[in-house]
Amino acid sequence: MKRQFGHRARLALSPPEIRLIDDQAHAGRAMWNLLHDWWTMLPKDKRSLTAADTAIRQARKEIDWLGVLPAQAAQAVLKTYFQAWKNCWDGRAEEPNFKARFRTVMSVDIPQGRDLNITRVHRRWGMVNIPKVGRVRFRWTKDLPVGKRANKNNRITGARLVKDALGWQIAFRVQTLEPKPDPHAGPEVGIDVGVTVPLALSDGKRYDHDEWLTEKEKGKLLRLEQRAAHRRTCRKRGERTSNRLRATYDQIQELRARAKRRHLDWQHQTTTDIATKYGTVVVEQLNIPNMVKSAKGTIEQPGKNVAQKVGLNRSISQEAWGRTVELLTYKLAQRGGSLHRVPASGTSQRCSACGFTTPGSREDQATFACKNPDCGWSGNADHNAARNVLHLYRMGLALVPAAGRAVVRRAHRVKPATAR
């Protein structure tokens, strides 16, 4: 089966190369804004892909700093802009808008894979060709289909340069042809996600992690946030952000980006281990946006325990449960496994031994003790919830996709009317 995926690697750039790529990214953002301005000003009957392509070519000839952007990257901006409008017309996204200088992710697209000319230098480093920049080293952390290994079915179709708080990276678009995996022979397992225990499995295993920042980094982050808050108070209303305040913001983003990378690395290692050991994984269908809603309330009806709810919302967002499920989904599919979702209501209050839900069974956050006099089972609360998640799947209560749920709901609505 054909598989398309991305692989991101860190670039080792010199200061002049960083400035060149920065100029290309700013030129691409400006071209998007000019294209959007040109598109919205024209009458609808004169808007076409050919007219937009002609306007971009003329702009690159007349404006020097737009010529810094390679021609293929400029065409990629046009293609992405038209795709954004198509997503809007299909109802998948909102209308495209202007891209701000400091709130937009800086990126440059390299749509042609043959322009990269990738070679491996040694075990840890490779070389890639970036248009109008030259040969650049990148960190080699994954075997790529280059050289003699590249063919029609296994090749790199393109790349994209992306900048975050820690520097520039290159994201390769890889296309491979792999044999269809055999069904995974591993056991079934239910997973309960949480804040104190990130992942608890129905067989008693759990996956924990340490803090993403060290104590020294936490102290530095606190000082930087206090410094930024003090400098914000010194800025007058409507005044432009000072360079010192912006430099403080950059340092804060660097620490948060470092924590995010460590979290993503832990998620990849954990989900790979789960997908390798288990053939069927069952998770809860959680509505995370509703879970992290603010408890502030209104003036007429103010909320309660607002500060505690803010801290809980932050902890839930930092765990990124949705990303864990996404990683598990495609990794299980690669290994012949499957992922299923079950309703989340009642999984933490039900006793996994006797099946009864009795009030007061959760003695504290970590312990579950069944109050049924005929049972009396006690154990870890997260382990109990994971066993209930797996039990719902074995009872045939796995949720179907959204379209299927709509069909089931219509069928249930018709039955009472037909009976009457």
Side-chain angles (χ1 to χ4, degrees):
M1 63 180 182
K2 184 180 293 186
R3 178 189 172 207
Q4 296 180 347
F5 63 95
H7 171 65
R8 183 173 292 193
R10 176 169 56 90
L11 291 173
L13 301 173
S14 63
E17 293 171 340
I18 293 175
R19 286 193 295 269
L20 284 174
I21 301 180
D22 286 347
D23 292 341
Q24 290 186 9
H26 286 304
R29 180 189 57 83
M31 183 165 289
W32 172 286
N33 292 338
L34 292 173
L35 181 62
H36 182 66
D37 198 8
W38 174 86
W39 180 269
T40 53
M41 288 174 59
L42 279 182
K44 291 185 178 180
D45 56 343
K46 294 185 179 181
R47 298 174 182 174
S48 65
L49 183 62
T50 305
D53 181 61
T54 304
I56 283 181
R57 294 175 184 272
Q58 188 67 22
R60 293 185 70 251
K61 291 179 181 179
E62 297 179 355
I63 305 175
D64 295 337
W65 51 270
L66 281 182
V68 177
L69 188 67
Q72 294 292 339
Q75 293 296 321
V77 173
L78 176 60
K79 182 179 179 181
T80 305
Y81 183 76
F82 268 77
Q83 184 63 40
W85 274 112
K86 185 178 180 181
N87 295 338
C88 174
W89 296 331
D90 295 342
R92 297 193 299 266
E94 297 181 354
E95 291 186 3
N97 207 339
F98 291 98
K99 291 188 176 182
R101 179 180 178 86
F102 296 106
R103 293 192 299 272
T104 303
V105 178
M106 298 179 65
S107 62
V108 180
D109 197 54
I110 308 175
Q112 299 293 338
R114 62 175 179 268
D115 297 337
L116 298 173
N117 193 16
I118 301 172
T119 57
R120 185 171 186 176
V121 179
H122 51 78
R123 184 171 62 90
R124 294 187 176 182
W125 293 98
M127 296 289 290
V128 61
N129 183 65
I130 298 178
K132 293 196 174 185
V133 177
R135 302 290 290 173
V136 175
R137 290 194 309 160
F138 70 92
R139 188 73 170 179
W140 192 283
T141 56
K142 184 181 182 67
D143 289 335
L144 300 173
V146 297
K148 296 181 179 180
R149 298 180 55 189
N151 52 51
K152 183 179 179 180
N153 297 322
N154 298 277
R155 58 194 177 94
I156 295 177
T157 59
R160 190 176 186 86
L161 307 178
V162 184
K163 186 178 184 181
D164 63 1
L166 297 176
W168 280 99
Q169 305 171 45
I170 182 168
F172 298 104
R173 293 189 287 269
V174 186
Q175 174 183 309
T176 60
L177 190 64
E178 300 178 353
K180 189 175 181 180
D182 297 329
H184 200 299
E188 300 173 346
V189 68
I191 297 180
D192 176 69
V193 295
V195 175
T196 305
V197 180
L199 295 178
L201 275 58
S202 58
D203 57 1
K205 190 174 182 179
R206 51 187 286 179
Y207 291 90
D208 298 302
H209 59 74
D210 298 328
E211 295 291 337
W212 307 123
L213 294 176
T214 63
E215 294 298 329
K216 185 177 180 180
E217 290 171 337
K218 287 182 182 178
K220 182 180 179 180
L221 179 60
L222 178 60
R223 291 192 299 271
L224 289 173
E225 290 176 342
Q226 292 174 346
R227 186 185 304 169
H230 174 71
R231 288 176 175 172
R232 279 198 302 267
T233 58
C234 299
R235 186 182 59 176
K236 297 180 182 179
R237 185 178 181 85
E239 186 179 1
R240 186 177 179 180
T241 304
S242 64
N243 292 333
R244 288 185 177 181
L245 179 56
R246 196 165 300 282
T248 305
Y249 285 153
D250 292 341
Q251 290 177 307
I252 293 174
Q253 291 178 359
E254 181 179 350
L255 285 172
R256 291 177 176 172
R258 192 177 302 169
K260 182 179 179 180
R261 284 192 183 183
R262 292 170 182 170
H263 186 193
L264 186 59
D265 178 69
W266 177 84
Q267 283 184 312
H268 272 290
Q269 294 187 27
T270 302
T271 52
T272 299
D273 186 64
I274 294 175
T276 304
K277 293 180 179 178
Y278 302 97
T280 302
V281 177
V282 189
V283 298
E284 297 173 300
Q285 180 67 33
L286 298 175
N287 193 341
I288 300 177
N290 287 344
M291 297 176 64
V292 297
K293 281 186 176 179
S294 174
K296 187 176 182 179
T298 61
I299 298 178
E300 294 80 10
Q301 296 180 350
K304 298 180 180 179
N305 301 325
V306 178
Q308 293 86 338
K309 186 63 169 64
V310 169
L312 177 61
N313 293 348
R314 186 183 297 113
S315 300
I316 292 175
S317 300
Q318 289 175 351
E319 289 299 328
W321 297 334
R323 188 169 61 197
T324 302
V325 174
E326 289 180 0
L327 296 178
L328 274 174
T329 302
Y330 83 82
K331 291 184 179 182
L332 283 166
Q334 289 177 8
R335 293 162 175 80
S338 60
L339 184 135
H340 303 273
R341 294 176 174 86
V342 296
S345 58
T347 55
S348 59
Q349 287 83 24
R350 176 183 178 276
C351 177
S352 59
C354 64
F356 285 93
T357 302
T358 54
S361 297
R362 292 292 295 268
E363 295 183 350
D364 52 38
Q365 188 64 26
T367 306
F368 182 93
C370 183
K371 299 301 181 181
N372 183 9
D374 298 332
C375 178
W377 181 86
S378 63
N380 183 268
D382 300 305
H383 172 54
N384 175 74
R387 292 176 60 182
N388 287 328
V389 168
L390 181 59
H391 172 74
L392 291 177
Y393 167 74
R394 290 174 174 174
M395 292 292 294
L397 297 178
L399 297 177
V400 294
R405 286 203 303 270
V407 172
V408 172
R409 288 173 182 172
R410 285 196 295 268
H412 282 295
R413 289 174 183 171
V414 171
K415 282 183 179 179
T418 306
R420 287 195 297 268

